[in-house]
Amino acid sequence: MTRWGRLCASGTVAELLAELRAVAEAGEGAAYDRAAALKALGGAGPGLWLSLDRGARTVEGERSLAAGEADPLRLLLAAMERDGRTRQAAVEGLAHTGGPLVATALALRTADWVDPVRERAVGALALRSAPDEAAAAVRMLLRLRGRRRAAGALEAYREVLAAPEARRAVRALAADEEPLTRRFGVELALELGEFVRGDLVRTALRDPDQVCRRLCAQRLLELDPDQAGRLLWARSAAVRELAVAALPEDVPAARLTAPLADPARIVRAQARWRLYSRGEPPALTYRRQLVRCGPQSPPRMVAGLALGLGECGDGTDVPLLLRLVREARTPWPPVVRRAAVRAVGRLAPREDLLGLLGPLATDADPGVAREAFEALARVAGEVPPETVWFGRTRPEPAVRKAAERLRSAQRQAQSGHRPR
């Protein structure tokens, strides 16, 4: 990291301001250092710019701006001075230059407390619609959105970006690394109809931001409901939920097997609702699928089916679920056993719970033991002290925490208070 990078990362505003002003006042020999400072400021986030803006007003002494000043660093620093006339002159000077740094400085001044400064900054920013300038401006405007003096600045710049000549900037915003900026770009691209079907599919399936994925999935399913099958395999649970909701009304129950066994609860719930809405009890589908499962079945699918049955089944399903926990000839993978224990904890009658899950509190798999302790909290007063002690002395933190919660529930029961 360069010296300027360290100064920006340290967050020491007074030191950074002093160094910036020193290099800005240096002669031509400091051109390289000045360029390095500008590069470091360009990589800084809006938070540092806001801190510099506040810090510049607390430094003693006023610094005027020379007529016709064109040095970018001097203009940027002058745009943060305490005197409004200096800031106004700096904004007017910045209006004749370009680049992301200038766009950031102008966006910062759209929240200025002096009306002429603010108005000139808004007007100058409206002429900055290159992709890199738009990204820098939007990052700052989003940070200022809650300020009263910045009211309307983001909306005004949004209108600038909606113009046909700014479509490249919209595309750049929709691919920005910063999540809030990317969301802004995706929302604007969808509003303008800038995304074609391929863009929607790619974003819905691969974008790292969940909001962007969901927005594009919604639009894609509005345009082409047949894409629901493709989105069923998206990595985002929110997108998979939308895909399940968009499936045809007469979708076969067998096609709903994957959503019914989805790792995400919201997807399983949506799949069950599809069956409920046409009068088919989802518990029957879960039972049929679990009976068909064997050692060669995908473990995550079996685990999802067990969890789903635990959410909609009844006490008669406990033997089927226990088969997944206690199958001795071919032990099920840990992920299946954990899911089955959780389901048994939900469905088993209270009077049978200790007998069914008490022995599993000492299971070698920490996940199974943790689920057993969580389920036994329903009958905390009946759990033997030695079982709780064993859980509290296990080496796995998750098991110890579950045993501690069970111990707390026992104490509350003994004191006459029901646990939450």
Side-chain angles (χ1 to χ4, degrees):
M1 185 181 293
T2 65
R3 177 173 73 94
W4 290 106
R6 287 193 295 271
L7 284 170
C8 290
S10 68
T12 308
V13 175
E15 183 181 358
L16 177 57
L17 272 173
E19 293 288 339
L20 288 172
R21 285 172 169 166
V23 75
E25 299 301 326
E28 294 297 327
Y32 177 82
D33 208 16
R34 190 180 293 112
L38 290 171
K39 183 178 180 180
L41 286 176
L48 179 63
W49 283 80
L50 292 169
S51 298
L52 285 173
D53 189 42
R54 287 191 298 268
R57 297 195 298 273
T58 63
V59 177
E60 293 296 332
E62 295 292 340
R63 292 163 180 80
S64 59
L65 192 66
E69 180 62 69
D71 182 76
L73 183 56
R74 290 196 183 97
L75 289 172
L76 292 174
L77 293 173
M80 302 178 187
E81 285 292 344
R82 186 184 307 177
D83 185 79
R85 290 166 296 186
T86 302
R87 295 197 308 278
Q88 180 176 334
V91 167
E92 292 171 352
L94 290 171
H96 299 291
T97 58
L101 274 174
V102 172
T104 300
L106 291 174
L108 179 60
R109 295 274 61 86
T110 61
D112 201 277
W113 59 97
V114 176
D115 291 344
V117 178
R118 186 168 60 249
E119 292 166 1
R120 284 168 172 77
V122 171
L125 190 62
L127 303 177
R128 304 285 178 274
S129 60
D132 56 348
E133 293 176 328
V138 168
R139 289 191 198 105
M140 180 60 72
L141 291 173
L142 286 171
R143 187 67 178 264
L144 298 172
R145 184 164 43 180
R147 298 194 178 190
R148 178 179 57 83
R149 294 190 182 95
L154 182 61
E155 290 71 18
Y157 194 62
R158 187 187 183 103
E159 294 181 6
V160 173
L161 296 175
E165 59 270 17
R167 295 305 169 86
R168 284 181 59 246
V170 175
R171 283 273 182 174
L173 288 171
D176 196 81
E177 295 180 357
E178 204 275 322
L180 289 180
T181 306
R182 188 164 66 254
R183 291 177 194 177
F184 177 90
V186 168
E187 290 175 356
L188 185 55
L190 293 175
E191 179 185 316
L192 299 174
E194 187 66 19
F195 274 8
V196 297
R197 188 169 303 178
D199 298 317
L200 296 172
V201 172
R202 183 174 59 254
T203 307
L205 292 177
R206 303 175 187 172
D207 196 274
D209 184 69
Q210 179 173 335
V211 175
C212 295
R213 293 195 299 265
R214 186 177 178 87
L215 287 171
C216 288
Q218 286 176 324
R219 179 59 57 85
L220 178 63
L221 293 171
E222 290 171 3
L223 297 175
D224 187 3
D226 291 339
Q227 294 286 335
R230 188 174 186 178
L231 296 184
L232 285 175
W233 307 106
R235 69 175 185 174
S236 169
V239 172
R240 297 197 301 273
E241 179 193 14
L242 289 173
V244 174
L247 290 172
E249 292 293 333
D250 57 349
V251 59
R255 193 181 176 192
L256 288 174
T257 300
L260 286 169
D262 196 274
R265 185 173 183 174
I266 59 172
V267 182
R268 297 195 301 269
Q270 184 63 247
R272 290 197 298 270
W273 173 248
R274 298 307 304 271
L275 294 177
Y276 276 128
S277 62
R278 62 193 193 194
E280 298 181 27
L284 294 178
T285 303
Y286 278 117
R287 291 164 188 154
R288 285 197 296 266
Q289 295 297 332
L290 276 175
V291 168
R292 296 172 184 169
C293 291
Q296 304 303 319
S297 301
R300 291 194 176 277
M301 186 194 74
V302 182
L305 290 171
L307 290 172
L309 182 58
E311 291 162 351
C312 66
D314 53 43
T316 61
D317 297 311
V318 171
L320 175 60
L321 293 166
L322 286 175
R323 181 176 70 88
L324 304 177
V325 182
R326 298 174 176 172
E327 193 78 30
R329 184 166 32 181
T330 307
W332 291 93
V335 65
V336 176
R337 299 181 67 236
R338 296 168 194 170
V341 171
R342 179 180 297 185
V344 170
R346 291 174 60 95
L347 299 180
R350 290 176 59 90
E351 59 271 16
D352 299 336
L353 201 58
L354 182 60
L356 294 173
L357 297 184
L360 296 175
T362 60
D363 195 272
D365 181 73
V368 172
R370 183 193 68 240
E371 294 294 345
F373 276 110
E374 296 287 0
L376 290 173
R378 289 176 54 194
V379 290
E382 303 174 15
V383 181
E386 55 270 21
T387 300
V388 181
W389 175 86
F390 186 85
R392 296 173 66 193
T393 57
R394 286 275 294 248
E396 302 88 2
V399 181
R400 292 201 305 271
K401 290 178 181 178
E404 290 291 350
R405 287 192 290 270
L406 177 59
R407 177 58 181 154
S408 298
Q410 287 181 329
R411 290 174 176 171
Q412 290 179 351
Q414 292 169 0
S415 62
H417 297 288
R418 296 183 61 185
R420 293 183 180 180

